[in-house]
Amino acid sequence: MNNAPYTPHDFQPTDHSLLIRQGGLLPLSADLHCHSHFSDGVLPPEMLAARAAERGVDLWALTDHDEVSGIATAQQAAKQHGMAFLAGAEISVTWLGRTVHIVGLGLDATDPTLLAGLQQTRSGRVNRAKGMADALAKLGMQGAYEGALKFVSNPELISRTHFARYLVEAGHCASMQQVFDQYLHDDGPAYVDLQWAKLEEAVSWIMSAGGVAVIAHPGRYKYSSLEFDTLFKSFKAAGGLGIEVNTGSHRPREYAQYAQVARDYGFLASIGSDFHGPDDGVFDLGSIAPLAADLKPVWQELGHKIS
Ligand code: AMP
Ligand code: MN
Ligand code: MN
Ligand code: MN
């Protein structure tokens, strides 16, 4: 038996990134969906990178809502931690009158078409936020716009999450979940709709930037079976290739359901925590169960995009 004391070397992260890039190793742990304070997460990209590496993530992507300003820092930090990295974004789309999120992975975050599309997608958020604050005021909760702004790092990216953090802090609700359940869910009394990007536009911006488009957390959308079938087929026809199967935004029992969708429609499968902050949710970075072994993981198409 070896009783030698552990040395710091034993705790150095393994550099899997080169092997993953060469297609020689499936990531032991991939997390391809999370948010920094450049959108509605609470941590800066370098802290997310450190946390992901600490928690054993081998392949990581930052996917801020409608924004890529955190990518350069994230990429640099991932490299310092010996973690393979994919540049990402989560684009807000309106399809059949409801919001769908499309994740782009393996993006060139300097692509002008992508940047212009994201800018356009962000542009309605401030007015919408003022509308949601007015609705909350009518429901007896004053000052929500200014309150939400206290939680915002990127003024173009004020989101419902920032309102939720404020309403909890102000004591109007006990949890962020309660804010969404009572006031801010998609049909809620303080919700204000916005026309986001079109599905085909979002996919084309991602493809223009050399990335792969992935339907985020399909289990969250309130469509009928026929509407889902049309969504998946329209997405595919537009050039979309992937779907999130194992995600922090699904209940674990939904993983098998969307694994079957991936098989039925021939989608690449993706996995991610959808982590927003240490106090916000159940699933931390790197904590999602691995994809079913027969699925084709999205990174198999993205080896040349991994840094
Ligand atoms: P927005 O882009 O302003 O419409 O805000 C959408 C964000 O709100 C999502 O990215 C989630 O972070 C958060 N969100 C939406 N629905 C819920 C929910 N039911 N519970 C917790 N967070 C939610
Ligand atoms: Mn979010
Ligand atoms: Mn989302
Ligand atoms: Mn997300």
Side-chain angles (χ1 to χ4, degrees):
M1 195 170 124
N2 178 7
N3 286 321
Y6 287 115
T7 63
H9 179 76
D10 292 309
F11 298 100
Q12 293 301 307
T14 319
D15 188 351
H16 292 129
S17 57
L18 185 63
L19 282 165
I20 294 168
R21 279 197 294 275
Q22 292 170 341
L25 180 77
L26 294 183
L28 302 177
S29 172
D31 192 328
L32 304 180
H33 188 147
C34 69
H35 299 275
S36 78
H37 71 176
F38 283 98
S39 64
D40 61 351
V42 295
L43 300 179
E46 60 273 21
M47 287 184 70
L48 283 173
R51 191 178 180 102
E54 210 170 89
R55 297 183 51 83
V57 173
D58 303 304
L59 174 62
W60 177 55
L62 176 64
T63 57
D64 274 314
H65 295 285
D66 309 320
E67 179 62 273
V68 289
S69 294
I71 292 299
T73 310
Q75 185 163 21
Q76 221 173 16
K79 196 182 173 83
Q80 281 167 6
H81 291 285
M83 197 166 46
F85 179 76
L86 285 167
E90 182 177 17
I91 304 180
S92 312
V93 159
T94 302
W95 190 81
L96 266 192
R98 293 194 165 273
T99 299
V100 169
H101 286 169
I102 302 295
V103 165
L105 293 172
L107 303 171
D108 169 2
T110 67
D111 180 76
T113 304
L114 174 70
L115 291 175
L118 295 180
Q119 172 72 51
Q120 177 197 313
T121 307
R122 288 193 296 270
S123 64
R125 279 187 179 268
V126 169
N127 269 339
R128 169 187 185 241
K130 289 178 177 164
M132 292 197 288
D134 289 345
L136 288 165
K138 288 193 183 108
L139 292 162
M141 290 158 277
Q142 311 296 326
Y145 182 69
E146 294 72 20
L149 272 183
K150 288 194 296 176
F151 293 89
V152 170
S153 302
N154 175 2
E156 289 188 0
L157 233 302
I158 184 163
S159 92
R160 283 185 279 170
T161 313
H162 302 111
F163 281 92
R165 294 205 178 101
Y166 166 69
L167 293 175
V168 172
E169 183 207 55
H172 292 298
C173 291
S175 66
M176 294 184 45
Q177 192 55 52
Q178 194 196 344
V179 175
F180 281 96
D181 290 347
Q182 269 189 306
Y183 302 115
L184 286 180
H185 63 86
D186 287 9
D187 304 302
Y191 180 71
V192 173
D193 199 18
L194 192 59
Q195 287 299 307
W196 302 110
K198 291 190 173 67
L199 179 69
E200 291 75 14
E201 287 176 330
V203 173
S204 77
W205 301 336
I206 291 165
M207 289 168 69
S208 160
V212 164
V214 175
I215 297 181
H217 44 63
R220 290 246 300 244
Y221 310 133
K222 293 187 171 54
Y223 294 122
S224 68
S225 310
L226 181 62
E227 288 167 342
F228 266 116
D229 180 58
T230 309
L231 171 66
F232 297 146
K233 286 176 177 159
S234 306
F235 175 69
K236 227 178 156 162
L241 294 179
I243 190 170
E244 285 185 348
V245 175
N246 293 19
T247 147
S249 288
H250 283 168
R251 286 159 293 190
R253 67 171 177 273
E254 291 173 306
Y255 297 178
Q257 181 184 346
Y258 292 101
Q260 196 52 45
V261 170
R263 294 180 194 108
D264 290 347
Y265 291 84
F267 285 134
L268 301 166
S270 193
I271 172 170
S273 58
D274 210 353
F275 178 79
H276 283 70
D279 302 325
D280 283 356
V282 189
F283 293 103
D284 209 322
L285 289 158
S287 69
I288 303 296
L291 293 167
D294 69 301
L295 298 177
K296 192 172 176 201
V298 66
W299 55 83
Q300 282 193 5
E301 289 296 313
L302 287 168
H304 56 300
K305 302 288 180 183
I306 294 172
S307 63

